[in-house]
Amino acid sequence: MGKQHHKYRWLVFVSVLFTYLMMASQRTAPGLITDQLMKDFGVAASTIGLLTSVQFLVYTSLQIPMGILADRFGPNFFLIVGAALTGLGTIFYSLGTHEFVLFFSRLLIGIGDATIWVNMVLILAQWFQKKEFVRLIGFAGMTGSLGFLLATVPFATMILLFGWRITFFAAGILLCLCGVLLYAVLVKHPKRIFPEEPVAVTEEAQREKTAVLLRRICSNQQAWALFFCHFGVVGGYVGFISSWAVPYGLDMYGMTRSDASQLIMIGLIGALLGAPLTSGIASWLATIKKPYIVVHITVLLSWLTFLLCKGQPSFFLLVVLFFLIGFGYGASALTFAAVRQSFPLAESGLVSGFANTGGFLSAALLPMIFGYVLDITGRLEDGYFYGFIIPTIFSAIGLIGIICLREQRQKAENNSL
């Protein structure tokens, strides 16, 4: 009995997704303690924005290299190491007494986080049949949003009860244990059940193939359309909630930390609904571009509403806006559906990494620029108002990207994974 028919594959599925859940939570959990870090370490808002951006910049820069390495050496090793690095980085973060330690720890977390998506997709592709994979990859995408959800009220409650240092230390230990679990599930135990399959691809040939694909992608208008499309819907949401959403609720609405994290949770609910709903609509209409254009317009109008309301909409409208922006982030899974539709399978991994780079480049830039804007404006109200110009511009770029996308129809075998 092969891997794709053995019941052991479900243990692999649960183990990998649980690790993704924990790693995804550490993308946004630091946003819960932004104000505390500024107070405890005596740093400015721009420093906190840069601290958040470091993780996303590292993640962004490693997406394409990680895809190349995973194809060449296999995904198991990198996912195990990534979980361990994320855990160690989180532990260092909890023990830090100087801002340098905070930067170093977020650097480690960024390196670890960069391993998860590409390697997780490859692992699931190895263990599941094509039809199963198509269904389960949706659950994998939703797991990231569940990780963000974990970093709202549950994490905020833990911080309230035990303090932020103990909470992050415990999360770091759990992530290190996830690395141990993955080694047992992906490496040690399968060797007793399944024979190893040799890979007969020379390193030189692989390098030549990668170079050709990279040149083709970087000169392809369709790939750049997907890059900017993902840039527009991911960065505003991920970049904002990872650093400034909680302080925004505290400063502009006088919320408690728990209330502000509940506000973020509204956006995460939107993200959880956005992925399956928009994918279903796109499948029903037999088009990706049309529903995705609607999503981009909705996100752009949502950020514009913050500007029209001078940075402080009514509470009811605020809830609606967070939901819509989160919904747009969930719908960003359509980017990778468009990748599969537009490119042959041999190139889809690198193109997915290229598109994902666009999304997290904007997530890296937004916290840093937003923090700088808060620092140079005298009043918080003005700072947040001008800060919202940034995600508005980003979402406009995303709309241009999806408009430029040429929807193509591939043969059935090219559309199946």
Side-chain angles (χ1 to χ4, degrees):
M1 182 182 294
K3 284 183 177 181
Q4 297 183 347
H5 297 89
H6 200 284
K7 63 181 180 180
Y8 186 81
R9 70 191 190 281
W10 294 108
L11 179 59
V12 172
F13 180 74
V14 172
S15 301
V16 171
L17 260 65
F18 179 75
T19 302
Y20 182 36
L21 174 77
M22 292 303 303
M23 292 174 73
S25 72
Q26 294 311 301
R27 293 177 185 173
T28 56
L32 295 173
I33 57 170
T34 296
D35 59 318
Q36 288 183 260
L37 292 178
M38 293 173 65
K39 180 180 178 181
D40 293 349
F41 291 85
V43 294
S46 57
T47 302
I48 295 297
L50 181 60
L51 179 64
T52 303
S53 295
V54 163
Q55 178 180 346
F56 290 127
L57 283 171
V58 172
Y59 180 100
T60 302
S61 63
L62 290 178
Q63 283 304 287
I64 293 177
M66 183 53 59
I68 297 171
L69 290 171
D71 284 338
R72 185 175 300 171
F73 301 109
N76 294 340
F77 170 78
F78 294 104
L79 189 60
I80 293 168
V81 172
L85 286 177
T86 304
L88 288 174
T90 305
I91 291 173
F92 291 154
Y93 193 79
S94 70
L95 300 176
T97 56
H98 189 275
E99 59 189 87
F100 172 79
V101 179
L102 297 182
F103 276 99
F104 176 72
S105 64
R106 298 315 291 181
L107 178 67
L108 283 182
I109 293 170
I111 295 172
D113 192 23
T115 68
I116 182 63
W117 180 255
V118 172
N119 292 292
M120 179 179 66
V121 169
L122 290 177
I123 288 170
L124 295 182
Q126 290 175 358
W127 284 90
F128 290 90
Q129 299 176 63
K130 293 178 180 179
K131 291 183 179 179
E132 287 181 318
F133 178 83
V134 172
R135 295 196 306 267
L136 295 178
I137 198 63
F139 288 99
M142 291 176 64
T143 302
S145 295
L146 289 173
F148 293 164
L149 190 62
L150 178 64
T152 56
V153 176
F155 223 77
T157 302
M158 292 287 290
I159 292 172
L160 182 64
L161 293 175
F162 304 107
W164 72 270
R165 291 187 181 273
I166 293 178
T167 301
F168 278 85
F169 183 83
I173 294 295
L174 185 56
L175 277 163
C176 289
L177 292 176
C178 283
V180 176
L181 172 65
L182 289 176
Y183 173 76
V185 171
L186 297 176
V187 179
K188 187 175 182 180
H189 194 54
K191 287 181 178 180
R192 303 174 184 174
I193 306 175
F194 310 102
E196 292 184 313
E197 299 179 4
V199 179
V201 179
T202 65
E203 186 174 338
E204 182 179 355
Q206 184 68 21
R207 283 179 178 170
E208 182 181 1
K209 179 183 177 182
T210 299
V212 171
L213 288 176
L214 283 174
R215 285 197 298 269
R216 187 179 304 156
I217 290 169
C218 291
S219 61
N220 189 294
Q221 178 183 340
Q222 188 82 338
W224 280 106
L226 291 164
F227 178 96
F228 289 118
C229 176
H230 212 53
F231 181 97
V233 290
V234 173
Y237 176 76
V238 176
F240 185 68
I241 70 167
S242 65
S243 55
W244 298 114
V246 169
Y248 172 71
L250 296 174
D251 295 335
M252 299 295 285
Y253 292 89
M255 297 179 181
T256 64
R257 190 177 311 279
S258 178
D259 288 340
S261 64
Q262 289 180 34
L263 185 62
I264 297 174
M265 188 167 62
I266 297 297
L268 295 172
I269 293 172
L272 287 170
L273 295 175
L277 186 57
T278 54
S279 296
I281 292 174
S283 177
W284 179 57
L285 296 176
T287 174
I288 295 172
K289 184 171 181 176
K290 290 180 180 179
Y292 212 4
I293 285 178
V294 174
V295 167
H296 277 270
I297 292 174
T298 302
V299 172
L300 174 59
L301 291 177
S302 297
W303 288 117
L304 275 173
T305 302
F306 278 101
L307 293 178
L308 294 175
C309 296
K310 298 182 178 180
Q312 194 173 12
S314 67
F315 181 76
F316 174 77
L317 183 56
L318 183 68
V319 170
V320 173
L321 292 175
F322 265 84
F323 178 85
L324 291 176
I325 293 168
F327 188 92
Y329 169 74
S332 66
L334 290 177
T335 298
F336 303 100
V339 169
R340 298 188 189 101
Q341 183 192 71
S342 304
F343 292 87
L345 291 178
E347 301 177 7
S348 61
L350 280 177
V351 180
S352 294
F354 187 75
N356 208 29
T357 299
F360 282 89
L361 175 62
S362 59
L365 292 175
L366 187 139
M368 183 169 50
I369 302 173
F370 208 103
Y372 178 76
V373 171
L374 287 176
D375 279 344
I376 64 175
T377 53
R379 299 170 64 245
L380 279 175
E381 292 82 0
D382 293 337
Y384 283 111
F385 170 73
Y386 290 113
F388 283 124
I389 295 176
I390 304 161
T392 303
I393 294 174
F394 284 6
S395 57
I397 292 173
L399 179 59
I400 294 172
I402 186 61
I403 290 175
C404 293
L405 184 71
R406 300 188 307 273
E407 191 159 38
Q408 300 175 8
R409 303 302 170 92
Q410 301 290 330
K411 294 180 181 180
E413 59 268 21
N414 285 343
N415 283 328
S416 60
L417 292 172

